[in-house]
Short mmCIF file of all heavy atoms in Angstrom, two decimals:
data_model
loop_
_atom_site.label_atom_id
_atom_site.label_comp_id
_atom_site.label_asym_id
_atom_site.label_seq_id
_atom_site.Cartn_x
_atom_site.Cartn_y
_atom_site.Cartn_z
N LYS A 1 -17.06 215.43 80.54
CA LYS A 1 -17.13 216.49 81.54
C LYS A 1 -15.81 216.54 82.31
O LYS A 1 -15.39 215.54 82.89
CB LYS A 1 -18.30 216.25 82.50
CG LYS A 1 -19.66 216.32 81.84
CD LYS A 1 -20.76 216.11 82.87
CE LYS A 1 -22.15 216.18 82.22
NZ LYS A 1 -23.22 215.96 83.22
N ARG A 2 -15.18 217.69 82.31
CA ARG A 2 -13.91 217.84 83.02
C ARG A 2 -14.15 218.47 84.40
O ARG A 2 -15.02 219.32 84.57
CB ARG A 2 -12.95 218.74 82.22
CG ARG A 2 -12.44 218.08 80.95
CD ARG A 2 -11.32 218.90 80.32
NE ARG A 2 -10.73 218.17 79.20
CZ ARG A 2 -9.76 217.27 79.33
NH1 ARG A 2 -9.29 216.98 80.54
NH2 ARG A 2 -9.28 216.66 78.28
N ARG A 3 -13.35 218.02 85.37
CA ARG A 3 -13.45 218.59 86.71
C ARG A 3 -12.97 220.02 86.74
O ARG A 3 -13.45 220.84 87.51
CB ARG A 3 -12.66 217.73 87.69
CG ARG A 3 -13.26 216.32 87.87
CD ARG A 3 -12.46 215.52 88.87
NE ARG A 3 -13.04 214.19 89.05
CZ ARG A 3 -12.53 213.25 89.86
NH1 ARG A 3 -11.42 213.51 90.55
NH2 ARG A 3 -13.13 212.08 89.95
N LYS A 4 -11.97 220.31 85.92
CA LYS A 4 -11.50 221.70 85.80
C LYS A 4 -11.18 221.96 84.34
O LYS A 4 -10.76 221.05 83.62
CB LYS A 4 -10.29 221.96 86.69
CG LYS A 4 -9.06 221.17 86.35
CD LYS A 4 -7.89 221.56 87.26
CE LYS A 4 -6.62 220.82 86.87
NZ LYS A 4 -5.46 221.24 87.72
N PRO A 5 -11.34 223.18 83.89
CA PRO A 5 -11.11 223.49 82.46
C PRO A 5 -9.64 223.27 82.07
O PRO A 5 -8.74 223.45 82.87
CB PRO A 5 -11.48 224.98 82.36
CG PRO A 5 -12.34 225.24 83.55
CD PRO A 5 -11.85 224.33 84.63
N ARG A 6 -9.43 222.84 80.83
CA ARG A 6 -8.09 222.73 80.29
C ARG A 6 -7.53 224.11 79.98
O ARG A 6 -8.27 225.08 79.77
CB ARG A 6 -8.13 221.96 78.95
CG ARG A 6 -8.30 220.48 79.06
CD ARG A 6 -8.63 219.89 77.70
NE ARG A 6 -7.88 220.50 76.62
CZ ARG A 6 -6.64 220.16 76.27
NH1 ARG A 6 -6.02 219.21 76.92
NH2 ARG A 6 -6.02 220.76 75.26
N ALA A 7 -6.21 224.20 79.96
CA ALA A 7 -5.57 225.41 79.46
C ALA A 7 -5.56 225.34 77.96
O ALA A 7 -4.95 224.45 77.36
CB ALA A 7 -4.13 225.50 80.00
N SER A 8 -6.31 226.22 77.30
CA SER A 8 -6.39 226.18 75.84
C SER A 8 -6.66 227.58 75.30
O SER A 8 -7.67 228.20 75.64
CB SER A 8 -7.50 225.23 75.39
OG SER A 8 -7.52 225.11 73.98
N GLU A 9 -5.74 228.06 74.46
CA GLU A 9 -5.87 229.38 73.86
C GLU A 9 -6.42 229.24 72.45
O GLU A 9 -5.75 229.53 71.46
CB GLU A 9 -4.51 230.07 73.87
CG GLU A 9 -3.96 230.25 75.28
CD GLU A 9 -2.55 230.83 75.32
OE1 GLU A 9 -1.59 230.03 75.25
OE2 GLU A 9 -2.41 232.06 75.41
N GLU A 10 -7.66 228.78 72.37
CA GLU A 10 -8.25 228.44 71.07
C GLU A 10 -8.52 229.66 70.19
O GLU A 10 -8.82 229.51 69.01
CB GLU A 10 -9.53 227.62 71.28
CG GLU A 10 -9.26 226.24 71.83
CD GLU A 10 -10.53 225.43 72.04
OE1 GLU A 10 -11.55 225.79 71.40
OE2 GLU A 10 -10.52 224.49 72.84
N LYS A 11 -8.43 230.85 70.77
CA LYS A 11 -8.60 232.04 69.94
C LYS A 11 -7.41 232.24 69.02
O LYS A 11 -7.49 232.99 68.04
CB LYS A 11 -8.81 233.27 70.83
CG LYS A 11 -10.13 233.28 71.57
CD LYS A 11 -10.30 234.56 72.36
CE LYS A 11 -11.65 234.57 73.09
NZ LYS A 11 -11.84 235.82 73.87
N LYS A 12 -6.31 231.59 69.33
CA LYS A 12 -5.11 231.70 68.50
C LYS A 12 -5.20 230.73 67.33
O LYS A 12 -5.69 229.61 67.48
CB LYS A 12 -3.87 231.46 69.32
CG LYS A 12 -3.66 232.52 70.42
CD LYS A 12 -2.34 232.37 71.13
CE LYS A 12 -2.14 233.49 72.13
NZ LYS A 12 -0.86 233.40 72.85
N GLY A 13 -4.70 231.14 66.18
CA GLY A 13 -4.89 230.37 64.95
C GLY A 13 -4.26 229.00 64.97
O GLY A 13 -4.75 228.09 64.28
N ALA A 14 -3.18 228.80 65.73
CA ALA A 14 -2.48 227.52 65.70
C ALA A 14 -3.01 226.53 66.73
O ALA A 14 -2.52 225.40 66.81
CB ALA A 14 -0.99 227.72 65.94
N VAL A 15 -4.02 226.92 67.51
CA VAL A 15 -4.55 226.04 68.56
C VAL A 15 -5.92 225.53 68.16
O VAL A 15 -6.84 226.29 67.90
CB VAL A 15 -4.64 226.78 69.92
CG1 VAL A 15 -5.19 225.85 70.99
CG2 VAL A 15 -3.28 227.33 70.31
N PHE A 16 -6.05 224.19 68.10
CA PHE A 16 -7.29 223.55 67.68
C PHE A 16 -8.12 223.12 68.88
O PHE A 16 -7.59 222.91 69.98
CB PHE A 16 -6.98 222.34 66.80
CG PHE A 16 -6.50 222.69 65.42
CD1 PHE A 16 -5.20 223.11 65.22
CD2 PHE A 16 -7.35 222.61 64.33
CE1 PHE A 16 -4.74 223.44 63.95
CE2 PHE A 16 -6.90 222.94 63.05
CZ PHE A 16 -5.60 223.36 62.87
N SER A 17 -9.41 222.97 68.68
CA SER A 17 -10.29 222.57 69.77
C SER A 17 -10.07 221.10 70.13
O SER A 17 -9.66 220.29 69.31
CB SER A 17 -11.76 222.79 69.38
OG SER A 17 -12.19 221.81 68.46
N GLU A 18 -10.39 220.79 71.36
CA GLU A 18 -10.28 219.41 71.83
C GLU A 18 -11.23 218.49 71.07
O GLU A 18 -10.89 217.34 70.78
CB GLU A 18 -10.56 219.35 73.33
CG GLU A 18 -10.30 217.98 73.94
CD GLU A 18 -10.51 217.98 75.43
OE1 GLU A 18 -11.30 218.80 75.94
OE2 GLU A 18 -9.86 217.15 76.11
N ASP A 19 -12.40 218.98 70.71
CA ASP A 19 -13.36 218.17 69.98
C ASP A 19 -12.83 217.74 68.62
O ASP A 19 -13.09 216.62 68.16
CB ASP A 19 -14.69 218.92 69.80
CG ASP A 19 -15.48 219.02 71.09
OD1 ASP A 19 -15.18 218.25 72.03
OD2 ASP A 19 -16.39 219.87 71.16
N VAL A 20 -12.11 218.63 67.94
CA VAL A 20 -11.52 218.29 66.64
C VAL A 20 -10.52 217.15 66.78
O VAL A 20 -10.51 216.20 65.99
CB VAL A 20 -10.84 219.55 66.03
CG1 VAL A 20 -9.92 219.15 64.88
CG2 VAL A 20 -11.88 220.52 65.52
N VAL A 21 -9.67 217.22 67.80
CA VAL A 21 -8.66 216.18 68.00
C VAL A 21 -9.32 214.88 68.47
O VAL A 21 -8.91 213.79 68.05
CB VAL A 21 -7.60 216.65 69.02
CG1 VAL A 21 -6.52 215.59 69.20
CG2 VAL A 21 -6.97 217.96 68.56
N ARG A 22 -10.32 214.99 69.30
CA ARG A 22 -11.06 213.80 69.75
C ARG A 22 -11.62 213.05 68.56
O ARG A 22 -11.51 211.82 68.46
CB ARG A 22 -12.18 214.24 70.68
CG ARG A 22 -12.98 213.10 71.31
CD ARG A 22 -14.14 213.68 72.12
NE ARG A 22 -14.72 212.72 73.02
CZ ARG A 22 -15.64 211.83 72.70
NH1 ARG A 22 -16.09 211.80 71.44
NH2 ARG A 22 -16.12 210.97 73.59
N SER A 23 -12.27 213.77 67.66
CA SER A 23 -12.84 213.14 66.48
C SER A 23 -11.76 212.50 65.60
O SER A 23 -11.94 211.41 65.07
CB SER A 23 -13.62 214.18 65.67
OG SER A 23 -14.14 213.64 64.48
N ALA A 24 -10.63 213.20 65.47
CA ALA A 24 -9.52 212.66 64.66
C ALA A 24 -8.98 211.37 65.28
O ALA A 24 -8.67 210.41 64.56
CB ALA A 24 -8.41 213.69 64.53
N PHE A 25 -8.85 211.33 66.60
CA PHE A 25 -8.39 210.11 67.28
C PHE A 25 -9.31 208.94 66.93
O PHE A 25 -8.84 207.85 66.57
CB PHE A 25 -8.35 210.31 68.80
CG PHE A 25 -8.39 209.01 69.56
CD1 PHE A 25 -7.32 208.13 69.51
CD2 PHE A 25 -9.51 208.67 70.30
CE1 PHE A 25 -7.36 206.93 70.21
CE2 PHE A 25 -9.56 207.47 70.99
CZ PHE A 25 -8.49 206.60 70.93
N ILE A 26 -10.60 209.14 67.06
CA ILE A 26 -11.55 208.05 66.79
C ILE A 26 -11.41 207.55 65.36
O ILE A 26 -11.41 206.34 65.10
CB ILE A 26 -12.99 208.53 67.06
CG1 ILE A 26 -13.20 208.78 68.57
CG2 ILE A 26 -14.01 207.54 66.54
CD1 ILE A 26 -14.52 209.43 68.91
N LYS A 27 -11.24 208.48 64.42
CA LYS A 27 -11.16 208.08 63.00
C LYS A 27 -9.84 207.43 62.65
O LYS A 27 -9.80 206.46 61.88
CB LYS A 27 -11.43 209.32 62.13
CG LYS A 27 -12.88 209.77 62.21
CD LYS A 27 -13.10 211.15 61.59
CE LYS A 27 -14.54 211.59 61.76
NZ LYS A 27 -14.76 212.98 61.32
N PHE A 28 -8.73 207.93 63.21
CA PHE A 28 -7.44 207.27 62.96
C PHE A 28 -7.43 205.86 63.54
O PHE A 28 -6.92 204.93 62.92
CB PHE A 28 -6.30 208.09 63.57
CG PHE A 28 -5.71 209.11 62.63
CD1 PHE A 28 -5.95 210.46 62.81
CD2 PHE A 28 -4.92 208.71 61.55
CE1 PHE A 28 -5.40 211.41 61.95
CE2 PHE A 28 -4.37 209.65 60.69
CZ PHE A 28 -4.61 211.00 60.89
N HIS A 29 -7.99 205.71 64.74
CA HIS A 29 -8.02 204.40 65.37
C HIS A 29 -8.92 203.44 64.58
O HIS A 29 -8.54 202.29 64.32
CB HIS A 29 -8.54 204.53 66.80
CG HIS A 29 -8.80 203.21 67.47
ND1 HIS A 29 -7.80 202.32 67.73
CD2 HIS A 29 -9.96 202.64 67.91
CE1 HIS A 29 -8.31 201.24 68.31
NE2 HIS A 29 -9.61 201.42 68.42
N TYR A 30 -10.07 203.92 64.17
CA TYR A 30 -11.00 203.11 63.38
C TYR A 30 -10.31 202.58 62.12
O TYR A 30 -10.36 201.40 61.80
CB TYR A 30 -12.22 203.95 63.02
CG TYR A 30 -13.30 203.24 62.24
CD1 TYR A 30 -14.41 202.71 62.88
CD2 TYR A 30 -13.23 203.12 60.86
CE1 TYR A 30 -15.41 202.08 62.17
CE2 TYR A 30 -14.21 202.49 60.14
CZ TYR A 30 -15.31 201.97 60.79
OH TYR A 30 -16.30 201.34 60.08
N ASN A 31 -9.66 203.50 61.41
CA ASN A 31 -9.01 203.12 60.15
C ASN A 31 -7.90 202.10 60.37
O ASN A 31 -7.73 201.16 59.59
CB ASN A 31 -8.43 204.36 59.48
CG ASN A 31 -7.77 204.08 58.15
OD1 ASN A 31 -8.41 203.65 57.19
ND2 ASN A 31 -6.46 204.25 58.08
N ALA A 32 -7.13 202.26 61.45
CA ALA A 32 -5.99 201.37 61.69
C ALA A 32 -6.41 199.93 61.96
O ALA A 32 -5.65 199.00 61.66
CB ALA A 32 -5.17 201.90 62.88
N ILE A 33 -7.59 199.74 62.51
CA ILE A 33 -8.05 198.38 62.83
C ILE A 33 -8.57 197.65 61.59
O ILE A 33 -8.57 196.41 61.54
CB ILE A 33 -9.14 198.42 63.91
CG1 ILE A 33 -8.61 199.09 65.18
CG2 ILE A 33 -9.66 197.04 64.25
CD1 ILE A 33 -7.40 198.39 65.79
N LEU A 34 -9.00 198.37 60.58
CA LEU A 34 -9.54 197.73 59.38
C LEU A 34 -8.47 196.90 58.68
O LEU A 34 -7.28 197.21 58.77
CB LEU A 34 -10.07 198.79 58.43
CG LEU A 34 -11.27 199.62 58.90
CD1 LEU A 34 -11.58 200.72 57.89
CD2 LEU A 34 -12.48 198.74 59.14
N PRO A 35 -8.88 195.85 57.96
CA PRO A 35 -7.90 195.05 57.23
C PRO A 35 -7.36 195.78 56.00
O PRO A 35 -8.04 196.65 55.45
CB PRO A 35 -8.70 193.81 56.80
CG PRO A 35 -10.13 194.30 56.73
CD PRO A 35 -10.25 195.32 57.81
N GLY A 36 -6.13 195.44 55.60
CA GLY A 36 -5.58 195.96 54.36
C GLY A 36 -6.28 195.33 53.17
O GLY A 36 -7.03 194.34 53.30
N LYS A 37 -6.02 195.85 51.97
CA LYS A 37 -6.75 195.39 50.79
C LYS A 37 -6.48 193.92 50.47
O LYS A 37 -7.33 193.24 49.88
CB LYS A 37 -6.42 196.26 49.58
CG LYS A 37 -4.97 196.20 49.14
CD LYS A 37 -4.75 197.06 47.90
CE LYS A 37 -3.31 196.99 47.42
NZ LYS A 37 -3.08 197.80 46.21
N ASP A 38 -5.33 193.39 50.87
CA ASP A 38 -5.01 191.99 50.58
C ASP A 38 -5.17 191.08 51.79
O ASP A 38 -4.85 189.90 51.74
CB ASP A 38 -3.56 191.89 50.06
CG ASP A 38 -3.36 192.64 48.75
OD1 ASP A 38 -4.30 192.62 47.92
OD2 ASP A 38 -2.29 193.25 48.56
N ASP A 39 -5.68 191.65 52.90
CA ASP A 39 -5.86 190.86 54.12
C ASP A 39 -7.20 190.13 54.10
O ASP A 39 -8.14 190.58 53.42
CB ASP A 39 -5.81 191.77 55.36
CG ASP A 39 -4.44 192.40 55.56
OD1 ASP A 39 -3.45 191.85 55.03
OD2 ASP A 39 -4.36 193.45 56.23
N PRO A 40 -7.31 189.05 54.88
CA PRO A 40 -8.62 188.42 55.07
C PRO A 40 -9.60 189.41 55.69
O PRO A 40 -9.19 190.29 56.45
CB PRO A 40 -8.32 187.25 56.01
CG PRO A 40 -6.85 187.03 55.93
CD PRO A 40 -6.23 188.36 55.61
N LYS A 41 -10.87 189.27 55.39
CA LYS A 41 -11.89 190.18 55.93
C LYS A 41 -12.59 189.51 57.10
O LYS A 41 -13.46 188.66 56.93
CB LYS A 41 -12.91 190.53 54.83
CG LYS A 41 -12.30 191.12 53.56
CD LYS A 41 -11.55 192.41 53.83
CE LYS A 41 -11.08 193.09 52.55
NZ LYS A 41 -10.02 192.35 51.85
N PRO A 42 -12.21 189.87 58.35
CA PRO A 42 -12.85 189.28 59.53
C PRO A 42 -14.35 189.55 59.56
O PRO A 42 -14.79 190.64 59.18
CB PRO A 42 -12.14 189.96 60.70
CG PRO A 42 -10.83 190.44 60.12
CD PRO A 42 -11.14 190.81 58.72
N ALA A 43 -15.10 188.57 60.04
CA ALA A 43 -16.57 188.69 60.04
C ALA A 43 -17.05 189.78 61.00
O ALA A 43 -18.15 190.32 60.81
CB ALA A 43 -17.19 187.35 60.41
N ASP A 44 -16.26 190.11 62.03
CA ASP A 44 -16.72 191.09 63.02
C ASP A 44 -16.32 192.52 62.68
O ASP A 44 -16.62 193.44 63.44
CB ASP A 44 -16.20 190.73 64.41
CG ASP A 44 -14.69 190.75 64.50
OD1 ASP A 44 -14.02 190.66 63.43
OD2 ASP A 44 -14.15 190.83 65.63
#
């Protein structure tokens, strides 16, 4: 919940919604923490 609306011209083709970027952030971060294929696999 925002105290005031963001400036966002989402009707324009080159401007993406905040929800799309939010989801991408979570997924990029998730992937970066995972071990590489040759790394040890932490139990957690």
Side-chain angles (χ1 to χ4, degrees):
K1 294 182 180 179
R2 291 190 173 274
R3 293 181 179 179
K4 63 178 183 178
R6 284 168 39 83
S8 184
E9 299 175 272
E10 291 180 21
K11 291 183 179 180
K12 296 187 176 180
V15 181
F16 287 77
S17 74
E18 187 176 28
D19 286 344
V20 165
V21 182
R22 184 185 196 275
S23 177
F25 159 69
I26 292 172
K27 290 168 183 173
F28 270 108
H29 172 64
Y30 182 98
N31 181 65
I33 301 301
L34 295 174
K37 64 178 182 179
D38 298 323
D39 294 338
K41 305 300 187 291
D44 62 340

